[in-house]
Amino acid sequence: MSSNKIKQAVDNLKATYNTNNPFVICEHLGITVRERNFNETRKAYFVSIYGQPSITINSNYIEKSKNILCAHELGHIILGHTGVNNFESENQEAEREANLFALYMLFDENDFDMKFENMTSYLIKYTLDRNIKLANK
């Protein structure tokens, strides 16, 4: 999916629900969000069972990180990715799209030296990863 379409999807959600908080948007959309105490290697994932999506987030992360993880997983759902996806999936295109979705959802493009659409997959992931921190580290 093109960067422009991802940005439009995010802009529509933010305008419809008057927020960029992914937890609030999930609530409006009827998407269940749970937290579980995972080890450090699992950050978050989404699964859709019988058409009902659900997001699970590692409870060991700080709130800002949980917002990023939730936005990323919400991106998978909104962008129509199927099956089970997690923040470290092997599907590079789906991960890039979900990362870009989270970037548009939570960050102000004006704070960066380049447009999000011009960022490489690596730079997008690096930007998000730099903002994901465990609560006790």
Side-chain angles (χ1 to χ4, degrees):
M1 179 176 288
S2 74
S3 297
N4 191 38
K5 286 187 179 184
I6 294 170
K7 183 179 184 325
Q8 285 177 333
V10 170
D11 288 346
N12 288 340
L13 285 171
K14 288 163 62 172
T16 298
Y17 301 110
N18 198 30
T19 185
N20 72 332
N21 184 320
F23 289 95
V24 172
I25 293 171
C26 283
E27 185 177 334
H28 283 290
L29 295 174
I31 298 170
T32 302
V33 180
R34 295 181 179 95
E35 290 189 24
R36 289 197 48 203
N37 186 356
F38 293 124
N39 60 32
E40 292 181 23
T41 58
R42 168 132 352 218
K43 293 177 183 170
Y45 66 90
F46 97 85
V47 63
S48 185
I49 300 173
Y50 302 115
Q52 180 58 42
S54 173
I55 295 172
T56 303
I57 298 172
N58 188 332
S59 61
N60 293 307
Y61 286 91
I62 63 172
E63 291 307 310
K64 179 179 180 181
S65 300
K66 290 176 188 177
N67 281 336
I68 293 169
L69 297 170
C70 186
H72 173 94
E73 299 305 328
L74 176 61
H76 281 301
I77 295 166
I78 296 298
L79 301 175
H81 301 156
T82 58
V84 176
N85 282 280
N86 66 62
F87 203 81
E88 302 296 331
S89 174
E90 295 298 316
N91 184 340
Q92 292 181 347
E93 184 59 26
E95 289 307 304
R96 180 190 183 285
E97 290 176 357
N99 284 340
L100 190 56
F101 184 96
L103 212 54
Y104 279 124
M105 176 72 63
L106 299 172
F107 293 83
D108 185 346
E109 194 172 44
N110 295 322
D111 293 337
F112 290 78
D113 290 333
M114 69 172 60
K115 296 251 182 225
F116 292 160
E117 66 188 37
N118 296 331
M119 291 178 148
T120 64
S121 294
Y122 174 80
L123 186 54
I124 293 167
K125 184 174 181 337
Y126 175 80
T127 301
L128 295 177
D129 283 347
R130 292 271 304 159
N131 286 281
I132 297 176
K133 296 178 177 40
L134 289 165
N136 57 352
K137 289 208 174 188

